[in-house]
Amino acid sequence: MPAQNGDGKRVTKLDRVVIRFAGDSGDGMQLTGDRFTTETAGFGNDLSTLPNFPAEIRAPAGTLPGVSSFQLHFADHDILTPGDAPHVLVAMNPAALKANLGDVPRGAEIIVNTDEFTKRALAKVGYAADPLGDGALDAYSVHPVPLTTLTVEALKDSGLARKDAERAKNMFALGLLSWMYHRPTEGTERFLRVKFANKPDIAEANVTAFRAGWNYGETTEDFAVSYEVAPATAAFPAGRYRNISGNLALAYGLVAASEQSGLPLFLGSYPITPASDILHELSKHKNFGVRTFQAEDEIAGIGAALGAAFGGSLGVTTTSGPGVALKSETIGLAVSLELPLLVIDIQRGGPSTGLPTKTEQADLLQAMYGRNGEAPVPIVAPATAADCFTAALEAARIALTYRTPVFLLSDGYLANGSEPWRIPEPDELPDLRVPFATEPNRPDGSFWPYLRDPETLARPWAVPGTPGLEHRVGGIEKQDGTGNISYDPANHDHMVRIRQAKIDGITVPDLVVDDPSGKAGLLVLGWGSTYGPIAAAVRRVRAAGGEVAQAHLRHLNPFPANLGEVLAGYDRVLVPEMNLGQLAHLLRARYLVDAQSFTQVTGLPFKAEQLADALTAQLEVQS
């Protein structure tokens, strides 16, 4: 039997819930979702989020293109995705309802702000009749709530104008959902008072609206049941945790790389969605010796970062796909100079300006080949939001050890999504220290800037101004060893091949395959943010009795040394990607394997059910 609250209402225990908040981009849905997520993380649930918002700074109110949503999946066990479909949809207006209803399964709960369902608002999104009264929502459990009216009534003594009071309706909704799912409240109230510290009347109005939403859930007869989702105690190894987004994890990873290498961190960047948060975050960490430079354009940003690397700093530039196109010449210069440089590409929908706020992983071939001449660059890709921290450290290791620019390919889904992250202890972090050249390296007392380490093929890194180590670097081809300008054909052939050999020789871990039975004939191989949906799909297929192996690539250039052997060990290989098959193209070319693509370019991540169906279809073909 369900338990009861002190108010006599039933309490139902659930193992997981998917909630989606949706409204105008000015309704504060991202803030609402973020606060619910923060309290959920503090409560101890495992979670995964999917923010989804328009590209416009202020999209037209009440329109379908202007809908902003935030989806949160939380559970009492380990989870891998933001959920395929919401169990609860909070729709702040007709546009939010219409834009999201197609994702809501029959029987799900829908909470609607009835105050916004006016004839004008309905007509704006193409509703001929009010869906709240024409039977269109009979398949759902609908809770009509006049959120705006209730918020204004709760704030009638606040002294705020009606327009200002209405803005707090998202906090009323947050309070209601916090009651429904037994979320803590103290953290949100504290957050609101800090956020609006300079406007105490606004702070108290939001707190009052938040409490009013909680009280409404507790007292109204329309919500007869609340729900409990226990902490996911078994999902987390011992340690200290926090909720973290991919971009925040990347920023922290870069700071950690700076500390572990003993090098000052320099970020040369130009703001671009969805990478700008990294610039914003790193600008807060001057206490760690971080210097951030917001350049006038993408080219200036990477030029400054490469200059900082020449001067002995850990040089970083952040961007998205369009910015990579502009930075390509300087990346080629970094290849020629053989200096460490981190190029962080938070991929988004393309081509051109494309879909600035939507996700995609279609820059792989650009990262691999998007420069003139033979200009090989290592590529690293994080698998989850929290993994962005570790990926940043790995990219820094490669760049510093091998004196090369390195691509880190994240994407909008990882950048804006969040999950719990175990904060590592300092002694768990890698030692990234590298020695600078301090004395001549030739018997005659001269310094050759391209005299290579026999193991890594890296050239010495000499800080400008070091006595006796004067040298010249540039974009024109160099003579092997001396670095002098050379147009000799044989020398150019040698330099091209040795730069390629340096990248090919980078030490990366072998690919690990998850194949419990050892008898699977199908391997599903992914990279980047497809990890969560793939792993969730594999769980479903295995639970249904299917045998499928899973592997995920972190290193895309060079590939792990055992990749060819792994691919040859399976009858069929399926490669899900949010592009038109770029990794599959590389695998076919390199290993002559008939890798099958499963692709999507909708601007959204894969759903687990979608991939599970694709894997099942492959197993049926195989049998």
Side-chain angles (χ1 to χ4, degrees), residues 7 9 179 212-223:
D7 55 15
K9 292 190 176 185
W179 172 82
W214 176 284
N215 293 334
Y216 178 79
E218 195 171 42
T219 57
T220 183
E221 295 182 1
D222 191 38
F223 293 90

Side-chain angles (χ1 to χ4, degrees), residues 125-368:
V125 295
Y127 275 124
D130 188 345
L132 301 181
D134 68 355
L137 303 180
D138 287 350
Y140 309 95
S141 175
V142 180
H143 301 278
V145 181
L147 290 173
T148 307
T149 298
L150 291 170
T151 302
V152 171
E153 175 64 21
L155 300 180
K156 64 182 179 180
D157 298 326
S158 67
L160 295 180
R162 179 182 177 88
K163 185 175 181 180
D164 291 331
E166 288 178 356
R167 289 175 180 161
K169 62 181 180 289
N170 64 322
M171 287 298 106
F172 189 100
L174 178 60
L176 173 58
L177 268 293
S178 297
W179 172 82
M180 284 181 65
Y181 291 96
H182 298 207
R183 299 297 90 182
T185 60
E186 295 82 2
T188 293
E189 293 188 13
R190 186 166 54 249
F191 167 83
L192 291 169
R193 290 193 171 100
V194 172
K195 179 177 176 63
F196 298 107
N198 295 329
K199 298 178 179 179
D201 55 337
I202 299 296
E204 291 309 312
N206 278 279
V207 170
T208 299
F210 176 66
R211 291 177 175 174
W214 176 284
N215 293 334
Y216 178 79
E218 195 171 42
T219 57
T220 183
E221 295 182 1
D222 191 38
F223 293 90
V225 182
S226 64
Y227 305 93
E228 282 187 356
V229 181
T233 52
F236 304 122
R240 185 181 181 190
Y241 286 81
R242 60 156 295 164
N243 185 53
I244 200 165
S245 68
N247 274 352
L248 184 57
L250 256 174
Y252 286 176
L254 293 172
V255 174
S258 172
E259 289 291 300
Q260 294 302 107
S261 65
L263 301 176
L265 177 64
F266 180 91
L267 175 68
S269 183
Y270 180 75
I272 184 172
T273 303
S276 298
D277 287 342
I278 303 172
L279 169 62
H280 299 158
E281 180 61 33
L282 288 179
S283 69
K284 303 174 184 177
H285 296 290
K286 296 181 180 65
N287 57 313
F288 285 106
V290 177
R291 293 186 179 182
T292 53
F293 170 54
Q294 181 174 320
E296 65 268 29
D297 55 39
E298 295 280 4
I299 299 171
I302 189 173
L306 184 56
F310 180 60
S313 294
L314 178 59
V316 183
T317 190
T318 52
T319 189
S320 191
V324 173
L326 293 166
K327 296 179 188 291
S328 62
E329 183 178 5
T330 307
I331 297 171
L333 176 60
V335 171
S336 176
L337 298 181
E338 300 189 47
L339 284 170
L341 177 68
L342 300 186
V343 181
I344 296 176
D345 177 8
I346 313 298
Q347 301 165 96
R348 71 190 206 188
S352 187
T353 307
L355 303 173
T357 60
K358 310 301 180 184
T359 196
E360 206 164 277
Q361 48 178 178
D363 294 349
L364 175 56
L365 293 183
Q366 179 179 223
M368 187 76 77

